[in-house]
Amino acid sequence: MLLWKIIQTALRGIIANKMRSFLTMLGIIIGVAAIIAMISIGEGAKKQVTESIQSFGTNLLRVSPGAARMGHVRTGAVETLTIEDAEAINKDVPHILHVATQVRNMAQIKYGNNNSSTSITGTVPQFTIVNNFSVATGRFIDEKDVKLMKKTAVLGATVKKNLFGEGLAIGNYIKIKGVNFLVTGVMATKGQTSWHDPDDQIFIPITTSQKRMFRQDYVDSIYIQVEGQEYIQDVKETAEKLLMRRHRISGTADADFNVRDYTEFIATLQETTRTFTILLGSIAAVSLLVGGIGVMNIMLVSVTERTREIGIRMAVGARRRDILLQFLIEALVISVMGGISGVALGILISYGVSSFGTWDTIITPTSVLLAFFFSVLIGIIFGLYPARKASLMEPIEALRYE
């Protein structure tokens, strides 16, 4: 009953100074809302990065050229990966589902009065399976196209929109570097990432790209789809040994290629976004700390204004512990009310960013509980000094205070 009476007294003190109490809460509200909003943005970024990488394929390894060196200085990418390397990997390395090669170059494209510069990807039929692409209309490159070096093209969704708008693309001819290519298909929308738009490219047979268009014998990358996640490491090591034998390389330090597991990309980027989330949360926590200082400042003012009231309470039998609890609970009530309001505001801000902005947000129970917990902790820490100051007053001195 005594505790409830103390809480009622604290609430009366807050209600008696509504504007001052609201301004005191405002710092807590902003701090809690900022923490929830910043963490939700960071979690959204983490999810978006993970989904973007996973959308490029599952159980995937990528073999890419290493760096050419002159002494200890990198001078550019080497040009040693070939279609024959890919065929050897597909033949001799166990637990592989599909292998796809790729060469990429930028080129000017044109249809009618519309023209732009885009990425031209020379590849093979297995590319769509390995990289998790799908065809919206028409067909993708087939083995006959590759064997006969046909001038056929499959458009990414962005390219199709730029060249044809809402019109029909399949069956029309476009020019790539001034050469006519027959459009045989349009890819389904893959979705743009922060660093790459996979829909802004044109797919042509790899042999056509190498022999007829860009005159290059090497490939830019080899994609390997593994049977299951449990075979990733074994396939990676076996492929590395095979390529080292084919390229006559004795030590891993001299390797002219890199074999990367996409889970490495995911782990690295998740760690980066986690650090980013912590940084955002820490910056937001500063505003909560400032709110705590505001609580302490207002509570000190309240203690000074109510010195005679404290003296009277002590004179009629209130103990020092009762006075300390009264002001500590008052600070705590302010922090709790500010924390609840801040949680509501933070959730609204997060939904607002997701609904009206271009950034996905994820509100986690952990972020809400963490922000609310810190708001309560701030109330206790910054309310303790004013409460202790009030409890240590001498009753006679307090009654004399004007």
Side-chain angles (χ1 to χ4, degrees):
M1 288 298 293
L2 177 61
L3 182 61
W4 174 241
K5 290 290 183 184
I6 293 171
I7 292 174
Q8 285 181 317
T9 304
L11 286 171
R12 280 198 297 269
I14 293 170
I15 293 169
N17 299 279
K18 296 183 183 69
M19 182 55 69
R20 187 170 71 184
S21 299
F22 171 73
L23 292 175
T24 306
M25 286 181 204
L26 195 58
I28 301 294
I29 292 170
I30 292 171
V32 170
I35 288 176
I36 292 173
M38 292 301 100
I39 292 178
S40 70
I41 289 172
E43 288 296 321
K46 181 178 174 182
K47 180 187 176 187
Q48 189 175 13
V49 165
T50 303
E51 288 180 348
S52 296
I53 294 176
Q54 288 177 337
S55 70
F56 286 96
T58 56
N59 302 332
L60 196 62
L61 294 172
R62 180 185 177 187
V63 185
S64 55
R69 294 176 179 270
M70 185 175 290
H72 295 287
V73 180
R74 293 187 177 188
T75 58
V78 295
E79 300 173 352
T80 55
L81 292 178
T82 63
I83 292 178
E84 289 73 23
D85 287 332
E87 291 172 348
I89 290 171
N90 193 35
K91 178 182 177 183
D92 299 331
V93 179
H95 306 300
I96 286 179
L97 291 175
H98 301 283
V99 175
T101 48
Q102 170 187 287
V103 294
R104 298 189 71 182
N105 292 278
M106 295 299 294
Q108 194 73 16
I109 60 172
K110 184 177 181 181
Y111 175 75
N113 295 324
N114 299 324
N115 67 85
S116 63
S117 179
T118 192
S119 176
I120 310 300
T121 300
T123 190
V124 292
Q126 294 79 11
F127 182 88
T128 55
I129 302 171
V130 171
N131 288 278
N132 200 27
F133 276 78
S134 58
V135 179
T137 55
R139 67 170 180 86
F140 195 67
I141 297 160
D142 60 25
E143 294 291 350
K144 188 176 180 181
D145 293 331
V146 175
K147 186 176 180 180
L148 298 179
M149 292 184 285
K150 284 191 172 184
K151 290 181 285 186
T152 57
V154 182
L155 310 184
T158 300
V159 177
K160 189 268 180 186
K161 182 178 180 182
N162 291 341
L163 292 184
F164 295 92
E166 299 300 323
L168 183 66
I170 297 173
N172 288 305
Y173 284 88
I174 63 170
K175 288 185 180 291
I176 302 175
K177 288 185 65 177
V179 179
N180 285 329
F181 276 75
L182 174 66
V183 178
T184 61
V186 176
M187 304 301 291
T189 301
K190 186 94 169 159
Q192 185 173 353
T193 67
S194 56
W195 69 90
H196 174 56
D197 181 4
D199 298 322
D200 189 13
Q201 60 182 318
I202 295 175
F203 300 94
I204 64 175
I206 191 168
T207 49
T208 307
S209 176
Q210 286 184 312
K211 306 300 182 183
R212 289 192 170 190
M213 296 298 296
F214 301 105
R215 307 294 181 184
Q216 66 181 71
D217 295 324
Y218 61 92
V219 298
D220 296 325
S221 54
I222 301 171
Y223 292 96
I224 305 169
Q225 188 180 46
V226 184
E227 287 180 0
Q229 193 70 34
E230 65 273 19
Y231 299 117
I232 286 283
Q233 194 59 36
D234 289 341
V235 171
K236 181 179 179 182
E237 292 174 0
T238 307
E240 285 175 344
K241 290 176 182 177
L242 174 63
L243 290 175
M244 288 177 69
R245 286 198 306 270
R246 289 182 56 82
H247 294 191
R248 295 180 175 84
I249 296 170
S250 56
T252 54
D254 300 321
D256 58 358
F257 60 87
N258 297 304
V259 182
R260 297 295 301 272
D261 177 358
Y262 267 49
T263 56
E264 294 176 15
F265 289 108
I266 294 173
T268 301
L269 288 172
Q270 281 183 337
E271 180 62 27
T272 302
T273 52
R274 189 177 72 85
T275 304
F276 172 66
T277 303
I278 292 172
L279 177 63
L280 289 177
S282 300
I283 293 170
V286 172
S287 62
L288 186 58
L289 186 66
V290 172
I293 295 171
V295 169
M296 184 171 68
N297 184 41
I298 294 300
M299 291 307 299
L300 285 171
V301 171
S302 180
V303 168
T304 303
E305 288 180 347
R306 296 158 65 183
T307 299
R308 284 179 61 82
E309 176 191 329
I310 293 167
I312 293 170
R313 288 182 182 279
M314 287 183 168
V316 297
R319 294 168 296 179
R320 293 187 185 277
R321 187 181 68 180
D322 299 330
I323 300 299
L324 185 141
L325 276 174
Q326 177 188 337
F327 283 93
L328 186 59
I329 288 174
E330 190 170 320
L332 193 57
V333 168
I334 289 174
S335 296
V336 168
M337 292 174 66
I340 293 171
S341 302
V343 167
L345 180 61
I347 292 172
L348 284 174
I349 291 172
S350 299
Y351 278 120
V353 170
S354 181
S355 299
F356 302 107
T358 57
W359 199 283
D360 290 333
T361 58
I362 298 176
I363 301 167
T364 62
T366 303
S367 65
V368 173
L369 292 174
L370 185 68
F372 183 74
F373 169 76
F374 275 108
S375 71
V376 174
L377 190 64
I378 286 290
I380 294 172
I381 293 172
F382 286 94
L384 189 59
Y385 174 71
R388 188 170 182 275
K389 182 180 178 181
S391 68
L392 292 176
M393 285 183 180
E394 293 297 330
I396 296 174
E397 294 297 326
L399 286 168
R400 287 177 181 173
Y401 185 81
E402 294 292 340

